[in-house]
Amino acid sequence: MSGLIIDSDACRGCGICIKSCSYEALEMKDKKAQVNENCVLCGMCIESCPFDAIKIEKEKTNGIELEDYKDIWVFIEQNDGEIEPVSYELLSKARELSKERNCSVNALLLGEDISKEADKLFAYGANKVYISEYEILKDNLEEIYVEFLDKVVLDYKPEIFLFGATNFGRSIAPRIAARVKTGLTADCTILEIDEESGLLNQTRPAFGGNLMAQIVCPEHRPQMATVRPGVMEAVKKETNTKEVINIDMPSIKEPSIKILENIIEKKAESISDAEIIVSVGRGIGSQKNLALVERLAELLGGKVGVSRPLVDVGWADQKNQIGQTGSIVAPKLLVTFGISGAIQHLAGISGAETIISINTDKDAAIFTVANYKVVGDCVEILKSMISKLEKKCEKEQVV
Ligand SMILES: Cc1cc2nc3c(=O)[nH]c(=O)nc-3n(C[C@H](O)[C@H](O)[C@H](O)COP(=O)(O)OP(=O)(O)OC[C@H]3O[C@@H](n4cnc5c(N)ncnc54)[C@H](O)[C@@H]3O)c2cc1C
């Protein structure tokens, strides 16, 4: 039996646990505490019970042999035959992790007429590419993919399975995790192998980004995680071993959905891929000063990014917002003006190569991640940078 267990012999019916429960999951029956379906296994009642009458029992390994699970697998998402960039980012991370696990990096590529893409996957670190090419896999039909991947997990037993936190990845990964009875950590920002246990340490922002939670999955397999596009770096590095393995389509019941036509939505211009970003926060003071930011971005050939308060007050569009609830960016150069560096903002800029930050507060958190720190007024510095760049451009007659 698993779940919250109340030892009725030890329970004295004091009711302290009932008061401690925020979920109304405990009630008194025949002078003994009893648990109902509201229980989320938070454990507060265990700490509150003065008689040690409550415990949580968890099913151990779900009947599987952990040692049977090997290698790091990456689900390669394709749309219309084109591989999503996040897949390369995940392969690069998988290659890094595989060194510590001394295992193979396996890319799983499903689609129609897709095998020509395998070389690109080797270039980013895949040792083996598992391919299945069928017309039905052309459209990313969730129910087909979930059944297929469920079968892959049962047959090949990946130790770690990574997915991009795209709309599609977010939709299929939890369903697969539920089917194979394992855990899934969504939107990880850091993935590392724990030196002692060899487990995958999966770090993600929690409680509105106010703390970083480190999650492990010690007793179930695969260890599954999704990672948002742009969080990890895609690094080209070919592996020596290259193997292509074809997987047959498992027998899957007819999908309940039929795609009649694919209408590709025009992608909103995103700052995620920008190489240079001039980013601005509340320290800019007034909306009219944003014109200075736009001008500097223009002179540098970059795009404008903003912190969330500027979106909240309607000074900027959400598509320009950087951070946990905005875009994750990884520019070569990021210049920030009047941004404090709240954890939710920092969550979006960890991939930036060089950060120059301007802030009047010498202790601003943004300075902990900046490569170049300028303590000063952002409007003055903006004007000065614009004037210098304009003069330089005049000389060179560029802009
Ligand atoms: C669930 C959740 C999700 C969130 N998601 C995001 C997100 O995706 N992105 C995001 O940005 N925020 C997000 N936030 C908000 C976040 O917590 C911060 O409130 C926000 O990032 C602060 O923005 P800011 O740095 O522009 O403003 P402030 O924190 O007010 O900082 C302004 C900075 O400007 C400096 N300054 C003032 N005057 C000047 C001047 N003249 N010259 C130079 N510097 C000056 C100040 O010293 C200060 O450091 C989220 C919050 C929550 C709870």
Side-chain angles (χ1 to χ4, degrees):
M1 193 148 84
S2 65
L4 193 82
I5 311 289
I6 300 175
D7 178 346
S8 56
D9 292 334
C11 176
R12 305 278 175 85
C14 67
I16 293 175
C17 59
I18 295 176
K19 287 190 197 128
S20 77
C21 179
S22 316
Y23 298 93
E24 297 181 4
L26 291 162
E27 51 207 5
M28 196 64 75
K29 271 196 191 142
D30 302 329
K31 296 190 179 155
K32 300 280 177 191
Q34 284 202 354
V35 62
N36 64 33
E37 65 287 351
N38 292 342
C39 179
V40 296
L41 299 179
C42 70
M44 290 302 286
C45 54
I46 299 176
E47 283 174 32
S48 75
C49 177
F51 307 107
D52 290 335
I54 311 176
K55 61 181 175 182
I56 291 175
E57 274 188 9
K58 289 182 187 160
E59 247 180 80
K60 277 265 170 179
T61 56
N62 189 26
I64 60 164
E65 293 294 337
L66 299 186
E67 306 78 57
D68 292 348
Y69 287 74
K70 294 202 166 45
D71 298 335
I72 304 176
W73 286 62
V74 175
F75 172 68
I76 306 299
E77 183 177 338
Q78 56 82 22
N79 278 300
D80 258 355
E82 205 170 301
I83 291 174
E84 287 291 319
V86 67
S87 303
Y88 300 124
E89 293 159 16
L90 293 175
L91 279 175
S92 305
K93 175 49 76 177
R95 189 185 58 225
E96 206 182 295
L97 301 172
S98 71
K99 285 185 201 140
E100 281 159 78
R101 291 302 294 149
N102 198 16
C103 69
S104 163
V105 174
N106 302 339
L108 178 64
L109 178 61
L110 312 181
E112 188 194 24
D113 191 19
I114 195 88
S115 53
K116 57 187 182 309
E117 301 297 316
D119 275 348
K120 293 184 190 160
L121 305 176
F122 291 126
Y124 283 90
N127 301 109
K128 295 179 190 169
V129 178
Y130 288 78
I131 295 189
S132 202
E133 293 182 287
Y134 290 90
E135 194 188 345
I136 195 159
L137 297 170
K138 180 168 138 291
D139 299 311
N140 289 347
L141 275 176
E142 281 133 3
E143 51 184 322
I144 299 286
Y145 272 69
V146 168
E147 281 209 40
F148 199 128
L149 269 73
D150 179 13
K151 186 88 177 38
V152 167
V153 173
L154 294 177
D155 289 353
Y156 294 94
K157 301 188 174 21
E159 186 183 27
I160 293 172
F161 209 164
L162 305 178
F163 292 74
T166 57
N167 287 344
F168 189 57
R170 280 170 199 245
S171 168
I172 60 170
R175 298 192 209 181
I176 296 155
R179 278 183 178 224
V180 299
K181 297 196 172 65
T182 190
L184 170 77
T185 309
D187 289 349
C188 294
T189 50
I190 302 172
L191 294 174
E192 291 163 330
I193 300 292
D194 184 85
E195 269 179 39
E196 259 177 46
S197 63
L199 290 170
L200 181 67
N201 278 339
Q202 306 160 57
T203 306
R204 57 150 297 151
F207 293 105
N210 288 313
L211 61 85
M212 299 301 277
Q214 206 173 62
I215 295 163
V216 285
C217 178
E219 285 159 1
H220 295 78
R221 292 292 179 272
Q223 301 165 82
M224 286 179 63
T226 67
V227 177
R228 281 169 73 174
V231 171
M232 314 239 154
E233 201 183 349
V235 184
K236 268 196 176 174
K237 195 161 188 233
E238 204 132 331
T239 46
N240 303 329
T241 51
K242 293 181 193 176
E243 205 181 330
V244 174
I245 298 147
N246 287 302
I247 312 184
D248 288 336
M249 179 88 193
S251 57
I252 285 175
K253 62 178 184 321
E254 271 291 298
S256 54
I257 293 171
K258 195 173 170 200
I259 306 279
L260 302 177
E261 189 188 357
N262 265 320
I263 301 168
I264 312 281
E265 194 188 5
K266 200 170 155 264
K267 275 195 183 164
E269 210 184 314
S270 156
I271 54 168
S272 301
D273 307 325
E275 297 215 326
I276 297 175
I277 297 178
V278 179
S279 188
V280 61
R282 202 145 41 184
I284 194 69
S286 81
Q287 191 175 12
K288 73 173 177 7
N289 290 335
L290 288 177
L292 296 170
V293 182
E294 278 158 20
R295 178 62 183 147
L296 182 63
E298 185 190 7
L299 286 161
L300 292 172
K303 290 192 172 153
V304 174
V306 295
S307 65
R308 186 160 120 173
L310 271 60
V311 177
D312 292 344
V313 294
W315 290 3
D317 200 291
Q318 212 275 334
K319 73 177 186 336
N320 293 81
Q321 184 191 316
I322 294 174
Q324 187 189 321
T325 45
S327 295
I328 307 281
V329 297
K332 289 203 167 106
L333 174 66
L334 172 69
V335 193
T336 77
F337 289 93
I339 290 182
S340 60
I343 191 162
Q344 298 88 355
H345 189 86
L346 298 185
I349 62 171
S350 61
E353 264 176 46
T354 301
I355 302 178
I356 304 174
S357 292
I358 293 99
N359 199 305
T360 42
D361 175 6
K362 67 173 177 35
D363 297 320
I366 193 80
F367 287 147
T368 61
V369 295
N371 305 88
Y372 298 94
K373 305 156 195 187
V374 183
V375 178
D377 177 67
C378 59
V379 176
E380 268 177 34
I381 292 167
L382 268 165
K383 284 181 181 163
S384 151
M385 284 176 83
I386 290 169
S387 141
K388 288 203 169 100
L389 281 167
E390 280 177 345
K391 274 184 200 142
K392 187 172 181 286
C393 292
E394 254 170 47
K395 271 191 204 155
E396 293 167 15
Q397 294 191 329
V398 185
V399 181

